[in-house]
Structures are given as C-alpha cells and as structure tokens.
Amino acid sequence: QVQLVESGGGLVQPGGSLRLSCAVSGFTFSGFAMRWYRQVPGLERELVASISSTGGTTNYADFVKGRFTISRDNAKNTMYLQMNSPKPEDTAVYYCNARYGNGYWGQGTQVTVSS
C-alpha cells in the first residue's frame, strides 16, 4: 500500500530550526516528483515547495524562499524540509504529497513556531 508518513514536527522558537521528514513506501519513490504543503485550520492548503524526481529541480513559495530547503534521498525513500528561521506565521500542519497516481498525502505533522 502507498504510505507517506511525516515526522519531525513540534514546537520551535522563532529563529530556530527544524527538519521535517516524509518517509515513503508503496511505489517507486525515485520516479516521482514530491511536494510539501501546509495548512492552517480554516484556510486553504498551500504549496510550500516542490522537488523533481531526481532532486535536480526545486521550487519554493515566495514566503519561504531563503529560509526553507526541500531535499530528498532516493536511496532512503525520504523527502525532507529544512526549516530555518521559522516565523510564527509558519505555524501549520505540514503535509507530504506525492505526484503519483491521483496524488497521495501523508497524515501531516504539526509545526508550531512560538516563544
């Protein structure tokens, strides 16, 4: 079965750092592009970053450029989001998305940025 499992979320102070992970199974991870999304309750889910199947191409939303880095390790079937200098407005549930089939989602991991 296709499974995407996010981890690494939690409480982080503004200006700190956090690394999220997305462990993938059930399909050939290296063959598909991946994305990170985030969502605040009551608001629309928004795209944070995307990465090509090989990791050679990355794209970022304007609100995270220069602060977050998306990466992947195809040998480990894992995608990462390195969050540097997070801001309170980065508080959200972060979701892993696979561009496989009709699209698959993880369960999400909560990130709270607060002092």
Side-chain angles (χ1 to χ4, degrees):
Q1 295 183 350
V2 174
Q3 291 186 321
L4 286 71
V5 181
E6 300 95 336
S7 62
L11 178 64
V12 61
Q13 295 182 356
S17 65
L18 198 66
R19 190 176 77 159
L20 308 183
S21 298
C22 172
V24 172
S25 61
F27 67 95
T28 303
F29 177 69
S30 62
F32 297 90
M34 299 288 294
R35 294 169 169 172
W36 283 103
Y37 283 79
R38 70 185 188 187
Q39 187 170 29
V40 176
L43 300 180
E44 186 177 34
R45 188 170 296 187
E46 60 185 355
L47 179 65
V48 175
S50 61
I51 188 167
S52 63
S53 60
T54 65
T57 302
T58 58
N59 294 99
Y60 298 91
D62 287 342
F63 52 79
V64 302
K65 284 183 178 177
R67 300 188 298 118
F68 294 3
T69 302
I70 188 172
S71 63
R72 65 193 295 163
D73 187 338
N74 284 348
K76 296 181 178 180
N77 286 359
T78 303
M79 177 177 66
Y80 305 96
L81 184 68
Q82 179 67 42
M83 304 173 62
N84 294 332
S85 300
K87 304 174 182 179
E89 53 262 43
D90 294 321
T91 295
V93 177
Y94 284 73
Y95 294 92
C96 180
N97 172 258
R99 296 199 66 185
Y100 168 76
N102 293 323
Y104 287 88
W105 297 88
Q107 82 291 343
T109 185
Q110 175 72 47
V111 173
T112 302
V113 184
S114 177
S115 298

